[in-house]
Amino acid sequence: MAKIIAIANQKGGVGKTATAANLAACLAESGKKTLLVDLDYQANASSYLGLKFEAKKQSKSTASVITGESRLSQTVMKTCHPNLDLLAGDMLLSKLAREKILEPGSVLLLKKAFEQKEAKAYDIILIDTHPSLDLLFQMALTAADFYLVPMFAEADPFDGLQYMFSEITTIKGTLNKGLGFLGLVITKFDRQNTTHVKFLELLESFCKSNKIAIRGLIPDSKALAGSSSNQKPLIWYKPDLPVSEAYLALAKKLIRDLTTAKGSTTNGTPKVKGTPSEIMNLFGESRNLEIF
Ligand SMILES: Nc1ncnc2c1ncn2[C@@H]1O[C@H](COP(=O)(O)OP(=O)(O)OP(=O)(O)O)[C@@H](O)[C@H]1O
Ligand SMILES: [Mg+2]
């Protein structure tokens, strides 16, 4: 049975797509049959894998699977790696989010799509979400077993996180009681930047006392832009760079920790306003899980 992980942060440009695409590639490279679901009408994950235009040409879209117009098996696209498939994003997702908003039960549509038997062929399904708390975000968090939050090592990105956690709390309380929080991935981290280093120190201490995993520390690297414009995830673009190794380490850590049930997750966070420390204190109890 595939385990489903939503990569989520309502803040734009924090490395969700970079993390989703590179983690998916590294999971595939590590032997896990992986499906990357592009749930963003910007379709950046689809571009990253070099399939945005081919998907458009073939009218293959995540939106059509959500609406039931096509089955998963007819719509997934093969990538350059046998373990990695893509469900491509496009502008139809935006139309879908607008049109379905008032339809009862529409939030469950992605979850239902993943109940198709073809989804069982995957060890893991990663969902790249877009920067919003709209219906698409709710669909992703309703369909997911876990969520992972990429963020920068700066206080600013905390702005707005409380709204996302509040939304997730609602989803956990109603549609998806088993949703687990896998932790944080710090993206674009620069060891020479004293703000980053100081923020990380604070964050590590919050996370330690609240049993929140910092799953990965991804260095700031120009290679990210190069890999994205060459439409090749880092592990197949420049595998020896620290940034590529960091994403591979994240994938392996995730696989190992979760396989051996050492990985801890925390329940989705409640409540609203607060400083970073208050927000972090809302993360709740940890628990062990086995996902593979
Ligand atoms: N580790 C990194 N080093 C350098 N640049 C990075 C890194 N991670 C991401 N970036 C760059 O930051 C920008 C934003 O990244 P990305 O598109 O992954 O963010 P996002 O959260 O998916 O954005 P959106 O909310 O718009 O979907 C991109 O230009 C990307 O190339
Ligand atoms: Mg993105």
Side-chain angles (χ1 to χ4, degrees), residues 8 15 26 29 47 52 70 75 82 92 101 108 112 118-120 126-127 138 148 152 158 193 217 225 232 240 278:
C26 290
E29 186 67 25
S47 293
K52 179 172 171 177
S70 61
T75 318
L92 286 176
I101 187 80
L108 293 167
K112 286 190 177 143
E118 300 97 295
K120 294 185 176 61
L126 286 184
I127 310 171
Q138 292 166 8
L148 187 64
F152 295 153
F158 266 101
N193 182 323
L217 195 60
K232 241 185 180 180
D240 297 332
E278 285 163 340

Side-chain angles (χ1 to χ4, degrees), residues 9-20 40 42 44 48 128-132 150 152 186-189 218-226 228 234 243 247:
N9 188 333
Q10 71 162 60
K11 181 108 178 154
V14 292
K16 291 183 290 296
T17 300
T19 297
D40 182 351
Q42 300 176 99
N44 292 338
Y48 205 144
D128 184 28
T129 64
H130 73 151
S132 166
F152 295 153
I186 310 304
T187 58
K188 255 183 151 177
F189 185 73
I218 311 297
D220 190 348
S221 167
K222 289 192 173 63
L224 218 298
S228 158
L234 289 156
V243 67
Y247 272 119

Side-chain angles (χ1 to χ4, degrees), residues 151-156 158 184 186 189 193-214 217 275-281 283:
M151 59 173 288
F152 295 153
E154 289 171 20
D156 260 10
F158 266 101
L184 307 172
I186 310 304
F189 185 73
N193 182 323
T194 48
T195 309
H196 285 194
V197 173
K198 272 191 189 155
F199 186 85
L200 181 65
E201 271 170 27
L202 273 176
L203 194 64
E204 279 175 338
S205 110
F206 292 143
C207 288
K208 200 169 172 198
S209 53
N210 289 288
K211 296 187 178 153
I212 294 159
I214 297 181
L217 195 60
T275 62
S277 64
E278 285 163 340
I279 294 164
M280 301 301 273
N281 282 331
F283 281 12

